[in-house]
Amino acid sequence: MPSGRTVLLLRRLSTGDNKLKTITINQNTTKEPLLANPVYIHRDLSLSKRLSTFGPNNIGVPQLTRSLSDNKIIMASSNTDTAKQEKPKHTNRLITEKSPYLLQHAHNPVEWYPWSQEAIDKAKEENKLIFLSVGYSTCHWCHVMEKESFESEDVAKVMNEHFINIKVDREERPDIDRVYMLFIMATSGGGGWPMSVFLTPDLRPVTGGTYFPPEDRWGRPGFKTILLSLAKKWKNEQQQFLEASSNIIQALQKISILDSGSSNSVPSETAWELCVSRYKNLYEPEFGGFGSAPKFPQASIFNFLFHYYARDKNHTEGKKCLEMCLHTLQKIAKGGIHDHVSSGFARYSVDNDWHVPHFEKMLYDQAQLIVAYADGFLATKDKFYADVVRDIAKYVKRDLRHESGGFYSAEDADSYPQFGASHKKEGAFCTWEYKELKSLLKTKVTYDITYLDVFCDYYSIEADGNISPESDPHGELVNQNVLIIYGSKEETAEKFGLSLEQLDQIISECINILYEARQKRPRPHLDTKMLCSWNGLMIAGLAQAGQALEDKDYVADAIKTAEFIKKYLYNNSTKTLIHSCYRAEDGSVAQIDQPIQGFLDDYAFLIKGLINLYEASLDYRWLQWARDLQLKQDELFWDSENGGYFSCSADDSSVVLRLKEDQDGAEPSGNSVSCHNLLRLAAYADKSSAPEGGESEREMAKKILQTFSKRLTTSPTSLPEMMSALMFYNDSPTQVLIAGGFTDPRTLELVHVVRSRLLPGRVLCVADPTESPAVLSRIRSVGDVPTAYVCRRYACSLPVTDVKQLENLLDEPTTVTTPSAKK
């Protein structure tokens, strides 16, 4: 976390103070913002706690709106997304790439390079600055900057003459994105995509920002002006650039070092109690969520709060945590952020009600929300939460899945309003005008009641649209409706004199009609890149859903995805993971010439998924693969000097800085997930024949908690997933060890008892005496009767063979009796 002095130094160096005093492109240096709502335009970087990591404490978070521009998006066609098929005038080196985002820019007049040694060597050979542009294929503002600047031949002429231009898909190369985003966040107080950074030929950042308008606006320099100014200064004041960039790298290196504090101990329960207190203060009681708009459904927060509740279900504070989780999950599911017609969840809502979303759908959100709603079901046994789990699973299997088992990354927010349209609009695929609903539903009548009236009442449809001007500042959603449930089924049924069964039938028929109508619209762009990390999260989610809902199909789906990864994203000869693969034009799975090697998140998220999959399938091979991958992860990413995992390995010399992610945001930190994984693997090793008995894994988990101890104690809400791991470490796992035949109904009854409960920190192991090697070589059944042991705080219960006895043991609180954590 950067100090104020370091941040000030970076700002001076990058914005022109001192030797580069006339380079003034920093986007947050005047009271007049570059945009009406500047910079914070995508994902978790808009969150206030994210800003506190990099910027001064008085940086505010501007109101995020659905659209920040009055520009229509008229995009160049990619090979996967076309309005009209025309022969392109320009083609650059990106045409040979597989990333959908890079292909979107393959016909720009800009002479783009992918991130490659060729581009770096070219910059050195021609002694030019590098312009690095980072984004992703479903990024709204990336589309805007492409249209305004990268498709402009005038702008491209300047870029091509004076710069080596590199385009990076931030989902394909998160290691590069993180390094330069750290620089942008530290120097401007905020960040987002597109990210625009100017580098020296040796890849050291000099200055940059996010979106730049093409021409001078609002008293601020436009992109073309900036390009010409930097090109001139590089020519005339090159040595000053090099000196400043060297100092910038040194400052970034200081920022990247985690301060673990003066103590070398694991934080105590004071840390998670403070975290609960902070979330209670952030909680918005009317519509749920933590903080004000824009609202993101951060699944790591649910994981932490459910865990806190489950430690002692009778604890007053724990019940409050459960209440906050359930109310928020209900409001999200009823809100417009939930696609009531085509299923799944959008990225975030721009308002307090979860009503008007930013319409892109990300795989990692679906994967993590499946877990949250499965936990909601386990905590309550309320069918409502199980139905949402099924809804998410339906969406990802139908719309995001390759036939071989892998899952695609995302669906775009923007799409063409109709076939043949010249420009895209955000939400065009998802929103509804009243007159269209009327034409679709007007003939449907039952008991003299029109389906239209019932549907409009239940989903708050209005004749002139239900989107407030505050959520649509540029008028792109005038007269449109986003379905949202403000009331209840009981209220609508009573209003129209219907039974709940009749209402359900009407709503179901209407949704089916609307779904069929929506399929006749132009679909949003689909990012068909398949990432190991996000697929690992999906395995974890499906395996959890399969256990909670007792649905073997979800477990089978998770197995298919694990097998997909082993086939397409795993190098069996080196035992290493590959970060990404792609759908080819013929539908097959494709790979680039030099596959991108796996990052920490690929290993951590997949290991989590494989452990969950073992517990869901009881197939030992998934646990063994998880163990093997953990050893490889330790070899590639572990910091033996300071503890914790780097996000990338040391193998790529073009990555100028190795970082450790210290934020559980849209995705959990790889260190947070790894801490959980290590503790679970240690618990399995406890009861295996491994001579070390899991001690090495426990020590590594402890070291992670020590490394992040200052972050956990001073900014606890920044790492809710790791805070859950801290409780897991403090309490020790709840190990449920069952000895019995896998097909024996008595064994399966005992397994059912375990799976039907909300038990964060649970480790389920089943050993079949007839199989070798057994997972639990040190436990035995009582005679020929399947037997269970419950082990907590490194002590095991007496063996039980009765279902009721096992229920009683599992329902006991897991909290420790002493106030301090294990050291």
Short mmCIF file of all heavy atoms in Angstrom, two decimals, residues 219-240:
data_model
loop_
_atom_site.label_atom_id
_atom_site.label_comp_id
_atom_site.label_asym_id
_atom_site.label_seq_id
_atom_site.Cartn_x
_atom_site.Cartn_y
_atom_site.Cartn_z
N GLY A 219 -11.30 22.26 -21.70
CA GLY A 219 -10.06 22.85 -21.24
C GLY A 219 -8.95 21.84 -21.02
O GLY A 219 -7.94 22.17 -20.40
N ARG A 220 -9.14 20.62 -21.48
CA ARG A 220 -8.15 19.56 -21.27
C ARG A 220 -7.59 19.10 -22.60
O ARG A 220 -8.29 19.12 -23.63
CB ARG A 220 -8.80 18.36 -20.56
CG ARG A 220 -9.49 18.68 -19.26
CD ARG A 220 -8.52 19.25 -18.24
NE ARG A 220 -7.40 18.35 -18.01
CZ ARG A 220 -7.47 17.27 -17.21
NH1 ARG A 220 -8.59 17.00 -16.57
NH2 ARG A 220 -6.42 16.51 -17.05
N PRO A 221 -6.35 18.67 -22.65
CA PRO A 221 -5.77 18.22 -23.92
C PRO A 221 -6.39 16.91 -24.38
O PRO A 221 -6.66 16.02 -23.59
CB PRO A 221 -4.29 18.03 -23.58
CG PRO A 221 -4.26 17.78 -22.11
CD PRO A 221 -5.39 18.59 -21.53
N GLY A 222 -6.63 16.80 -25.68
CA GLY A 222 -7.14 15.57 -26.26
C GLY A 222 -6.01 14.61 -26.57
O GLY A 222 -4.82 14.92 -26.44
N PHE A 223 -6.39 13.42 -27.01
CA PHE A 223 -5.42 12.35 -27.22
C PHE A 223 -4.38 12.74 -28.27
O PHE A 223 -3.18 12.52 -28.09
CB PHE A 223 -6.15 11.07 -27.63
CG PHE A 223 -5.28 9.86 -27.72
CD1 PHE A 223 -4.49 9.47 -26.65
CD2 PHE A 223 -5.24 9.09 -28.88
CE1 PHE A 223 -3.68 8.34 -26.72
CE2 PHE A 223 -4.43 7.96 -28.96
CZ PHE A 223 -3.66 7.59 -27.88
N LYS A 224 -4.83 13.37 -29.35
CA LYS A 224 -3.90 13.75 -30.41
C LYS A 224 -2.89 14.79 -29.91
O LYS A 224 -1.70 14.71 -30.20
CB LYS A 224 -4.68 14.28 -31.60
CG LYS A 224 -3.84 14.51 -32.85
CD LYS A 224 -4.72 14.92 -34.02
CE LYS A 224 -3.90 15.18 -35.28
NZ LYS A 224 -4.79 15.60 -36.40
N THR A 225 -3.36 15.73 -29.12
CA THR A 225 -2.47 16.75 -28.55
C THR A 225 -1.43 16.10 -27.64
O THR A 225 -0.24 16.45 -27.67
CB THR A 225 -3.29 17.78 -27.75
OG1 THR A 225 -4.20 18.43 -28.63
CG2 THR A 225 -2.39 18.82 -27.10
N ILE A 226 -1.88 15.16 -26.83
CA ILE A 226 -0.97 14.46 -25.92
C ILE A 226 0.09 13.69 -26.70
O ILE A 226 1.28 13.72 -26.36
CB ILE A 226 -1.78 13.51 -25.01
CG1 ILE A 226 -2.63 14.32 -24.04
CG2 ILE A 226 -0.86 12.55 -24.27
CD1 ILE A 226 -3.71 13.51 -23.36
N LEU A 227 -0.33 13.01 -27.74
CA LEU A 227 0.62 12.24 -28.55
C LEU A 227 1.71 13.14 -29.13
O LEU A 227 2.90 12.82 -29.05
CB LEU A 227 -0.13 11.54 -29.70
CG LEU A 227 -1.08 10.40 -29.32
CD1 LEU A 227 -1.92 10.00 -30.53
CD2 LEU A 227 -0.31 9.19 -28.78
N LEU A 228 1.32 14.26 -29.71
CA LEU A 228 2.28 15.16 -30.32
C LEU A 228 3.22 15.78 -29.28
O LEU A 228 4.42 15.93 -29.51
CB LEU A 228 1.55 16.24 -31.10
CG LEU A 228 0.82 15.76 -32.38
CD1 LEU A 228 -0.08 16.86 -32.92
CD2 LEU A 228 1.83 15.31 -33.43
N SER A 229 2.66 16.14 -28.13
CA SER A 229 3.46 16.74 -27.07
C SER A 229 4.51 15.76 -26.55
O SER A 229 5.70 16.11 -26.39
CB SER A 229 2.55 17.21 -25.94
OG SER A 229 3.31 17.70 -24.85
N LEU A 230 4.09 14.53 -26.30
CA LEU A 230 5.03 13.53 -25.77
C LEU A 230 6.09 13.16 -26.80
O LEU A 230 7.26 12.96 -26.45
CB LEU A 230 4.27 12.29 -25.32
CG LEU A 230 3.50 12.43 -24.01
CD1 LEU A 230 2.63 11.21 -23.77
CD2 LEU A 230 4.46 12.61 -22.84
N ALA A 231 5.69 13.08 -28.06
CA ALA A 231 6.66 12.75 -29.11
C ALA A 231 7.74 13.82 -29.19
O ALA A 231 8.94 13.52 -29.33
CB ALA A 231 5.94 12.60 -30.45
N LYS A 232 7.33 15.07 -29.11
CA LYS A 232 8.30 16.18 -29.17
C LYS A 232 9.25 16.14 -27.97
O LYS A 232 10.47 16.31 -28.10
CB LYS A 232 7.54 17.50 -29.22
CG LYS A 232 8.45 18.72 -29.32
CD LYS A 232 7.62 20.00 -29.39
CE LYS A 232 8.52 21.24 -29.46
NZ LYS A 232 7.73 22.49 -29.54
N LYS A 233 8.68 15.93 -26.78
CA LYS A 233 9.50 15.92 -25.58
C LYS A 233 10.44 14.71 -25.54
O LYS A 233 11.56 14.80 -25.03
CB LYS A 233 8.60 15.98 -24.34
CG LYS A 233 7.85 17.30 -24.23
CD LYS A 233 7.02 17.37 -23.00
CE LYS A 233 6.21 18.66 -22.98
NZ LYS A 233 7.05 19.86 -23.16
N TRP A 234 9.97 13.57 -26.03
CA TRP A 234 10.85 12.40 -26.09
C TRP A 234 12.05 12.69 -27.00
O TRP A 234 13.18 12.30 -26.70
CB TRP A 234 10.08 11.19 -26.60
CG TRP A 234 10.93 9.97 -26.83
CD1 TRP A 234 11.28 9.43 -28.02
CD2 TRP A 234 11.54 9.14 -25.83
NE1 TRP A 234 12.07 8.32 -27.86
CE2 TRP A 234 12.24 8.12 -26.51
CE3 TRP A 234 11.57 9.18 -24.45
CZ2 TRP A 234 12.95 7.13 -25.84
CZ3 TRP A 234 12.28 8.19 -23.77
CH2 TRP A 234 12.96 7.18 -24.47
N LYS A 235 11.81 13.41 -28.07
CA LYS A 235 12.88 13.74 -29.00
C LYS A 235 13.87 14.72 -28.39
O LYS A 235 15.09 14.57 -28.56
CB LYS A 235 12.29 14.32 -30.28
CG LYS A 235 13.32 14.68 -31.34
CD LYS A 235 12.65 15.22 -32.60
CE LYS A 235 13.71 15.59 -33.65
NZ LYS A 235 13.07 16.13 -34.89
N ASN A 236 13.35 15.71 -27.66
CA ASN A 236 14.20 16.80 -27.17
C ASN A 236 14.71 16.61 -25.74
O ASN A 236 15.73 17.21 -25.36
CB ASN A 236 13.45 18.13 -27.26
CG ASN A 236 13.08 18.49 -28.68
OD1 ASN A 236 13.81 18.16 -29.62
ND2 ASN A 236 11.96 19.16 -28.86
N GLU A 237 14.01 15.82 -24.92
CA GLU A 237 14.35 15.71 -23.51
C GLU A 237 14.39 14.25 -23.06
O GLU A 237 13.94 13.90 -21.99
CB GLU A 237 13.32 16.48 -22.67
CG GLU A 237 13.14 17.93 -23.08
CD GLU A 237 11.98 18.59 -22.37
OE1 GLU A 237 11.75 18.28 -21.18
OE2 GLU A 237 11.29 19.41 -23.00
N GLN A 238 14.98 13.41 -23.91
CA GLN A 238 14.92 11.96 -23.68
C GLN A 238 15.59 11.55 -22.37
O GLN A 238 15.07 10.70 -21.65
CB GLN A 238 15.57 11.24 -24.86
CG GLN A 238 15.43 9.74 -24.79
CD GLN A 238 15.89 9.08 -26.08
OE1 GLN A 238 16.55 8.05 -26.05
NE2 GLN A 238 15.55 9.67 -27.22
N GLN A 239 16.70 12.16 -22.05
CA GLN A 239 17.41 11.76 -20.84
C GLN A 239 16.57 12.03 -19.60
O GLN A 239 16.58 11.26 -18.64
CB GLN A 239 18.74 12.50 -20.74
CG GLN A 239 19.63 12.03 -19.59
CD GLN A 239 19.95 10.54 -19.67
OE1 GLN A 239 20.15 10.00 -20.77
NE2 GLN A 239 19.97 9.86 -18.53
N GLN A 240 15.82 13.12 -19.64
CA GLN A 240 14.95 13.43 -18.51
C GLN A 240 13.83 12.39 -18.37
O GLN A 240 13.46 12.00 -17.26
CB GLN A 240 14.36 14.83 -18.70
CG GLN A 240 15.42 15.92 -18.66
CD GLN A 240 14.87 17.29 -19.02
OE1 GLN A 240 13.70 17.42 -19.34
NE2 GLN A 240 15.71 18.31 -18.94
#
